[in-house]
Amino acid sequence: MIHGVMLLISFLVLVSISRAQGDSCGPCGPVSSCTGADGTFVVSLRDGSTIGNVLSARRGVRDVGIGAEQTVILTIRAGTGCRDTTLPVTKVSAFSSGQLGLDGQPCSMPVLPVREFVVPSDKEPPPFNFLEVTVNPAYTGGDESRREVGPSTFAYGAEALISPFGSILGHRMALALGGGVLLERDRLRFPVIGQLRIRFGANPRTTTRSRFVPGPCLFSEGAQGATSAPTGALERTSYPLMDSASYVVVEDSTVIEDQGLHIWLEGGPIFNGGFDGAGRTPSINADDYGQYLLGAGVGLPFADIFFVGLGYRFMRLNVRTPCEICPPPLGGGDDKYFVTNTTEVHSVVLKLGVHLPW
């Protein structure tokens, strides 16, 4: 007998806890004037059907492809938990309770849409500005020249690029300027780079954000007086009957995401550091001097701040060395003639670093 009583008490406690958990899952709570003793109410639809065991109702807005649609989000008791279902507000007729109220009549609260206001935005789409800093190891092949005028198997570098021009070239292209350092053998060089980026999937998209004032949980007993419009807002939709317990403000904004795969085209001059053989003169063929790079590749910003890219880069590099077959300069002494050696480098470049858009 005692064990039976204990089991019954335990069962009742578990039921109470489950019900309390189910009731607490409604973010707005019940509709107070039409809530039964068990904390639930009934939703009547305009097609004549009903939904019972509803714990909570709140207003919402969803995109239906041709515009925004007002909705009612219902939280329904389901076993020991709860679930949400969303209905267009135009399909909901009323909230009601099957139990008698204080005056002996069932409670019924009509459900109506609220006024909609649009806040026009005069903001331009966000630009594609960015700052990018990368390290650039490169495979340059081997140098078989006797005077070692070409690079060794690998070269190492680092670069910084900045694009402050926004969307001056449109939403798919961006122009960046910058420079870096390049170390091949023991020769330090400084490339100056201009880069054009062509983005894939950089189309602008419009996002809609809605907010209910003073909140989404408010429903009133039928149609009310006119709701004053927010400052600078335009009314978008009107209905024959509307609830003025609240109103909804819809804000459309254009978003252009910088993240995404892109290709780059780049080029620029290369300047020398202070290594032996740097510079144009003295040289018997100074007119052959000229250093620059051209390149192309594919890059991908990821995880908001990182960047990885792989590309091809052609470089024309110069090194002055003594001319071994030239006669001594007039006047004798230890002076020698120098010759400008030109190396054309075909390399594969890996770029790894940080990408900071703004």
Side-chain angles (χ1 to χ4, degrees):
M1 180 67 179
I2 295 178
H3 292 290
V5 172
M6 295 296 294
L7 289 174
L8 179 60
I9 293 174
S10 300
F11 175 76
L12 293 175
V13 170
L14 289 174
V15 170
S16 300
I17 293 175
S18 299
R19 178 167 294 182
Q21 290 175 341
D23 294 349
S24 64
C25 64
C28 288
V31 181
S32 59
S33 61
C34 286
T35 303
D38 63 350
T40 67
F41 56 95
V42 177
V43 176
S44 300
L45 306 182
R46 296 193 182 277
D47 63 4
S49 61
T50 59
I51 301 175
N53 289 324
V54 181
L55 294 165
S56 171
R58 66 186 186 276
R59 298 185 183 273
V61 174
R62 66 182 177 186
D63 186 5
V64 292
I66 57 175
E69 176 185 63
Q70 290 188 39
T71 63
V72 177
I73 304 169
L74 305 176
T75 302
I76 303 169
R77 178 181 291 160
T80 59
C82 54
R83 61 181 177 85
D84 285 349
T85 187
T86 302
L87 299 171
V89 68
T90 53
K91 292 188 177 181
V92 180
S93 175
F95 301 146
S96 62
S97 173
Q99 303 178 23
L100 296 180
L102 295 176
D103 58 356
Q105 299 296 326
C107 171
S108 180
M109 175 188 292
V111 177
L112 298 171
V114 298
R115 296 181 70 185
E116 298 178 13
F117 297 97
V118 177
V119 177
S121 176
D122 57 358
K123 295 181 180 179
E124 292 294 326
F128 281 122
N129 296 338
F130 65 85
L131 171 65
E132 191 172 277
V133 180
T134 58
V135 293
N136 307 327
Y139 175 76
T140 57
D143 177 27
E144 298 179 357
S145 64
R146 184 169 56 87
R147 294 190 297 272
E148 295 184 345
V149 295
S152 57
T153 304
F154 293 96
Y156 304 93
E159 294 173 1
L161 293 173
I162 185 170
S163 176
F165 306 108
S167 55
I168 188 173
L169 298 180
H171 296 146
R172 288 188 176 274
M173 293 191 292
L175 178 64
L177 302 174
V181 294
L182 173 66
L183 180 65
E184 47 90 16
R185 293 194 183 274
D186 59 350
R187 298 184 284 255
L188 186 64
R189 305 179 192 267
F190 301 94
V192 175
I193 301 169
Q195 186 181 93
L196 176 67
R197 294 194 174 186
I198 304 173
R199 297 182 175 93
F200 299 97
N203 291 327
R205 59 183 178 87
T206 300
T207 61
T208 300
R209 184 180 65 177
S210 60
R211 54 186 173 89
F212 287 86
V213 181
C217 301
L218 300 178
F219 298 87
S220 63
E221 302 282 355
Q224 302 293 313
T227 304
S228 58
T231 303
L234 303 175
E235 188 163 5
R236 181 168 69 176
T237 305
S238 61
Y239 298 88
L241 292 176
M242 289 180 288
D243 187 338
S244 66
S246 64
Y247 60 86
V248 61
V249 178
V250 179
E251 298 172 331
D252 293 332
S253 60
T254 301
V255 177
I256 304 174
E257 295 182 347
D258 182 45
Q259 303 289 350
L261 187 69
H262 67 264
I263 62 174
W264 75 73
L265 304 173
E266 62 184 5
I270 299 176
F271 299 94
N272 289 325
F275 58 86
D276 290 339
R280 181 187 298 270
T281 57
S283 172
I284 62 174
N285 59 336
D287 291 341
D288 291 342
Y289 184 88
Q291 298 188 135
Y292 59 86
L293 66 85
L294 298 172
V298 180
L300 178 67
F302 66 96
D304 294 331
I305 64 170
F306 297 108
F307 176 84
V308 61
L310 183 66
Y312 162 80
R313 178 173 285 180
F314 169 82
M315 294 184 291
R316 187 181 192 273
L317 304 176
N318 300 129
V319 179
R320 284 186 304 105
T321 59
C323 179
E324 298 176 355
I325 63 173
C326 296
L330 295 177
D334 295 330
D335 293 338
K336 295 180 179 180
Y337 286 110
F338 286 82
V339 61
T340 295
N341 302 276
T342 299
T343 303
E344 294 182 347
V345 181
H346 301 271
S347 59
V348 178
V349 180
L350 176 66
K351 294 189 176 188
L352 296 170
V354 294
H355 177 90
L356 305 175
W358 84 89

